[in-house]
């Protein structure tokens, strides 16, 4: 017999039970659905679960002690959970699981699942729901979980019973790992977790990136040989390792420019890496940047468009007369395609790699955005991970890190702010032994600041530098750009973060992360140098 829980019948006492012993203890099966799910995830290579559970996920939570191989990490808000899963996947190249509490828990995590979808990373969401037979009562936490999930997921399935759940989990991991990386959401009604399962499921084969056709390679080769002024716009795995090297060979052989999207999710930069120019954010600058390009080869991305439409400004950036040519779609193997293209055109020269020249420290003065980037570049440890959510603080000074120590640069990929404190947290969990430096706008930081608590609890090597300009600065600029330039005090107060000013040292220390406030280049240098050599999380409030 597989029935495992005695559900109080409708004739059960109507008065609340005075103690748990008033009801018979549920029988515990040898392996319940939740345990079969967890064992399947581990067998399929999922070894970290970021979660914020509730009653409907208690069987999953209790299985964590019976199943070895799953690191469970608590986030104190679901946006932390989903953003951390994004950061983990960007660095680990495989999915973490999230554990989310019904529709509202998932809803809290949606913005960062949106960002993860744009970053094209794999994530397996496990979302609890009411027991199947309870859903008709419209109890307080009832909602259309599938509808919530569909908005951000490539794959959604609600498990029907405890016997299916392991097989469903194996399919969820397979779906998440489908190139270039997908969001898979498995909904788990509470009774499917607590009833008996037969066994875990075996892992399913991964569907890796599709090979690029010979024709696509021949077309790009012909375009490069034709002598037109060419550029290659890169995204995804092509911005790392073999793909980046092959792109560098092509550039050295043909003179083609190498470009990346403004918000590429991950890029290998710094000493020893092939330098890639970053597409500017503002339309006028992006158009000037691309001017003169006659052939634009696309690898893992689309032809560039503006972040927003602005009155009287173009929203497509490809120059008139330029031919965009897809070498590799995002689900295809862009790195292999670049290698094949380099071989086809006979690109034998070594790629040009950036030298190692740490940016010089600025002279002592009040902090500004340029000085912060210089100091970060100066002290950046080898093989660090940098996350960027600094909006107005960053664009102009991005080139400063070209000759800093080799590092991975992670960007806000989907435009929903509140992403990178969690992303830095997940990246640190995926990359033990590597320092993570989180460059963070103060406005954006406040959305998911609870990630600091997770950093403290997990003792993660993350240094967060808050750009404390006490403003939604970028929106002050956007006011002008969209032509809403009659803003008065009420409008401007919506973009201002004074009154009261946030006390970042107290906020951080309140969550267990040592913190310091700095206002000069010298004090930032001291604070960063000391943080780089320390273990565990630190926060530096940089006054601007
Ligand atoms: C989820 C979400 N909510 C709101 C916005 C709109 N928004 C874009 S930038 C920004 C302010 C960012 O401020 P901060 O991080 O301090 O950077 P700064 O503009 O000062 O450089 C806001 C509110 C957004 N992009 N995403």
């Amino acid at each position: 017999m597989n029935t495992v829980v005695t559900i109080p019948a409708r004739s059960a006492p109507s008065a609340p039970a005075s103690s748990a012993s008033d009801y018979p203890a549920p029988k515990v099966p040898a392996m319940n659905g939740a345990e079969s799910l967890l064992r399947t995830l581990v067998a399929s290579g999922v070894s970290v679960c970021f979660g914020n559970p509730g009653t409907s996920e208690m069987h999953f939570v209790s299985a964590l002690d019976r199943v070895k191989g799953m690191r469970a990490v608590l986030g104190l808000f679901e946006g932390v959970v989903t953003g951390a899963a994004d950061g983990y996947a960007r660095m680990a190249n495989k999915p973490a699981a999230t554990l989310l509490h019904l529709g509202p828990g998932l809803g809290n995590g949606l913005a960062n699942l949106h960002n993860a979808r744009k970053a094209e990373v794999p994530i397996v969401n496990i979302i609890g729901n009411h027991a199947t037979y309870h859903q008709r009562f419209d109890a307080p936490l009832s909602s259309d979980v599938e509808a919530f999930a569909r908005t951000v997921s490539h794959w959604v399935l609600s498990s029907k019973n405890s016997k299916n759940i392991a097989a469903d989990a194996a399919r969820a991991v397979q779906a998440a790992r489908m190139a270039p990386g997908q969001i898979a959401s498995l909904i788990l009604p509470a009774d499917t977790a607590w009833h008996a399962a037969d066994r875990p499921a075996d892992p399913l084969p991964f569907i890796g990136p599709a090979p690029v056709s010979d024709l696509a390679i021949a077309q790009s080769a012909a375009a490069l040989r034709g002598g037109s002024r060419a550029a290659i716009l890169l995204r995804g795995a092509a911005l790392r390792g073999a793909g980046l090297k092959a792109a560098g060979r092509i550039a050295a052989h043909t003179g083609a420019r190498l470009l990346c999207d403004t918000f590429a999710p991950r890029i290998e930069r710094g000493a020893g890496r092939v330098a890639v120019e970053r597409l500017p954010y503002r339309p006028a600058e992006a158009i000037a940047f691309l001017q003169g390009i006659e052939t634009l080869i696309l690898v893992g991305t689309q032809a560039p468009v503006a972040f927003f439409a602005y009155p009287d400004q173009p929203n497509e950036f490809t120059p008139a007369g330029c031919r965009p040519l897809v070498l590799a779609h995002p689900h295809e193997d862009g790195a292999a395609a670049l290698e094949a293209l380099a071989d086809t055109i006979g690109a034998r020269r070594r790629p040009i790699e950036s030298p190692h020249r740490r940016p010089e420290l600025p002279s002592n003065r009040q902090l500004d955005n340029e000085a912060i980037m210089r100091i970060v570049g100066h002290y950046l440890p080898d093989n660090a991970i940098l996350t960027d959510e600094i909006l107005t603080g960053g664009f102009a000074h991005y080139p400063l890190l070209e000759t800093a120590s080799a590092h991975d640069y992670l960007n806000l990929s989907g435009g929903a702010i509140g992403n990178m404190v969690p992303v830095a947290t997940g990246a640190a969990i995926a990359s033990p032994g590597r320092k993570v430096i989180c460059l963070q706008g103060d406005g954006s930081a406040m959305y998911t600041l609870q990630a600091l608590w997770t950093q403290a609890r997990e003792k993660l090597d993350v240094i967060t530098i808050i750009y404390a300009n006490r403003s939604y600065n970028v929106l002050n600029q956007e006011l002008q750009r969209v032509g809403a330039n009659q803003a008065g005090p009420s409008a401007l107060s919506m973009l201002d973060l004074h009154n009261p000013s946030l006390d970042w040292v107290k906020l951080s220390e309140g969550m267990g992360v040592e913190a310091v406030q700095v206002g000069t280049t010298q004090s930032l240098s001291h604070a960063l140098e000391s943080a780089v050599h320390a273990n565990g999380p630190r926060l530096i409030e940089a006054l601007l």
Side-chain angles (χ1 to χ4, degrees):
M1 263 307 284
N2 292 320
T3 308
V4 289
V5 173
T6 307
I7 301 151
R10 292 204 65 193
S11 57
S14 53
S18 52
S19 78
S21 61
D22 288 3
Y23 292 113
K27 292 180 207 146
V28 179
M31 180 187 293
N32 64 19
E35 185 175 329
S36 77
L37 162 65
L38 198 50
R39 289 192 186 280
T40 302
L41 291 176
V42 172
S44 304
V46 179
S47 52
V48 175
C49 176
F50 298 98
N52 189 276
T55 305
S56 39
E57 295 78 49
M58 284 298 108
H59 283 273
F60 185 99
V61 169
S62 101
L64 286 167
D65 283 307
R66 298 194 296 280
V67 179
K68 295 281 164 267
M70 180 65 82
R71 178 173 178 182
V73 179
L74 180 61
L76 299 186
F77 174 68
E78 290 84 348
V80 171
V81 167
T82 54
D86 175 2
Y88 175 90
R90 289 197 210 188
M91 295 313 301
N93 299 312
K94 64 172 192 166
T98 67
L99 183 65
L100 302 166
H101 188 49
L102 301 97
L106 170 60
N108 280 344
L110 281 185
N112 277 339
L113 285 174
H114 157 86
N115 284 325
R117 195 171 68 87
K118 294 289 183 182
E120 297 175 324
V121 295
I123 293 182
V124 177
N125 294 315
I126 307 294
I127 307 152
N129 199 2
H130 283 312
T132 47
Y133 59 86
H134 194 63
Q135 288 173 15
R136 65 197 164 97
F137 296 125
D138 199 23
L141 272 164
S142 301
S143 68
D144 189 345
V145 184
E146 284 184 35
F148 274 102
R150 267 194 297 273
T151 57
V152 288
S153 305
H154 301 85
W155 184 97
V156 180
L157 185 74
S158 188
S159 277
K160 295 289 177 264
N161 65 58
S162 59
K163 304 280 189 175
N164 295 2
I165 215 162
D168 293 344
R171 291 166 65 204
V173 179
Q174 184 186 47
R177 297 197 73 153
M178 188 180 287
Q182 303 201 121
I183 312 297
S185 294
L186 180 61
I187 301 164
L188 187 62
D191 50 339
T192 69
W194 70 51
H195 283 311
D198 295 327
R199 60 188 162 269
D202 289 339
L204 294 173
F206 298 144
I207 302 167
V212 165
S213 76
D214 292 345
L215 185 55
I217 291 160
Q219 284 174 336
S220 288
L224 289 172
R225 284 197 186 111
S228 64
R229 275 179 292 175
I232 307 178
L233 184 61
L234 304 155
R235 198 174 198 268
L239 283 168
R240 318 199 294 267
L244 193 52
K245 279 210 164 78
R249 280 167 61 204
I250 297 168
H253 184 75
T254 63
R257 288 171 66 191
L258 300 182
L259 318 176
C260 69
D261 281 341
T262 318
F263 297 103
R266 177 178 169 191
I267 171 167
E268 286 181 355
R269 303 187 71 208
R273 265 78 187 263
V274 173
V276 176
E277 300 172 72
R278 182 184 185 189
L279 190 72
Y281 174 75
R282 294 182 191 158
E285 288 172 26
I287 285 164
F289 175 85
L290 295 174
Q291 203 166 23
I293 294 173
E294 293 161 322
T295 299
L296 184 61
I297 295 177
L298 304 172
V299 181
T301 188
Q302 59 173 17
V305 295
F307 207 79
F308 292 105
Y310 296 94
D312 306 324
Q313 294 204 38
N315 47 8
E316 289 180 280
F317 295 161
T318 309
C322 169
R323 194 170 139 229
L325 187 59
V326 177
L327 173 62
H329 293 286
H331 73 284
E332 293 177 329
D333 192 342
L338 285 162
E339 288 187 305
L341 178 59
D343 292 343
T344 305
I345 61 171
R348 271 178 287 278
R349 286 171 54 185
R350 275 178 56 81
I352 299 166
E353 291 165 351
S354 299
H356 194 190
R357 262 198 318 268
R358 293 173 185 280
E360 279 178 26
L361 288 176
S363 57
N364 196 23
R365 59 170 198 263
Q366 291 297 301
L367 283 173
D368 55 43
N369 294 326
E370 196 248 357
I372 300 179
M373 197 66 101
R374 249 179 207 291
I375 295 166
V376 168
H378 185 86
Y379 289 111
L380 195 66
D382 199 33
N383 206 25
I385 299 165
L386 262 178
T387 68
D388 176 341
E389 193 169 33
I390 39 178
L391 312 170
T392 52
F395 296 115
H397 313 300
Y398 181 81
L400 270 174
L401 300 185
E402 214 61 79
T403 61
S405 298
H407 61 280
D408 279 280
Y409 198 92
L410 312 187
N411 230 317
L412 172 63
S413 52
I417 61 172
N419 190 212
M420 299 312 264
V421 185
V423 161
T425 307
I429 287 184
S431 318
R434 297 182 66 176
K435 199 60 121 180
V436 181
I437 301 188
C438 176
L439 307 179
Q440 191 57 48
D442 53 358
S444 304
M446 280 306 289
Y447 287 63
T448 44
L449 193 65
Q450 307 92 319
L452 290 180
W453 180 88
T454 303
Q455 291 176 13
R457 173 184 254 221
E458 300 289 328
K459 302 187 175 43
L460 301 177
D461 264 340
V462 183
I463 304 169
T464 303
I465 302 181
I466 298 288
Y467 283 55
N469 62 7
R470 315 229 188 274
S471 162
Y472 284 168
N473 197 27
V474 66
L475 297 186
N476 281 298
Q477 300 176 358
E478 294 288 275
L479 267 178
Q480 309 299 320
R481 249 178 252 146
V482 298
N485 37 19
Q486 287 169 344
S490 297
L492 294 176
S493 78
M494 294 295 287
L495 315 179
D496 177 77
L497 303 186
H498 292 94
N499 188 26
S501 288
L502 293 154
D503 187 329
W504 290 95
V505 173
K506 278 191 184 154
L507 286 167
S508 181
E509 288 179 349
M511 286 182 272
V513 173
E514 195 178 319
V516 61
Q517 184 190 68
V518 297
T520 63
T521 55
Q522 200 171 55
S523 51
L524 175 60
S525 295
H526 287 154
L528 187 58
E529 190 180 16
S530 127
V532 158
H533 291 108
N535 290 324
R538 296 278 182 102
L539 181 138
I540 301 172
E541 175 181 3
L543 292 175
L544 288 164

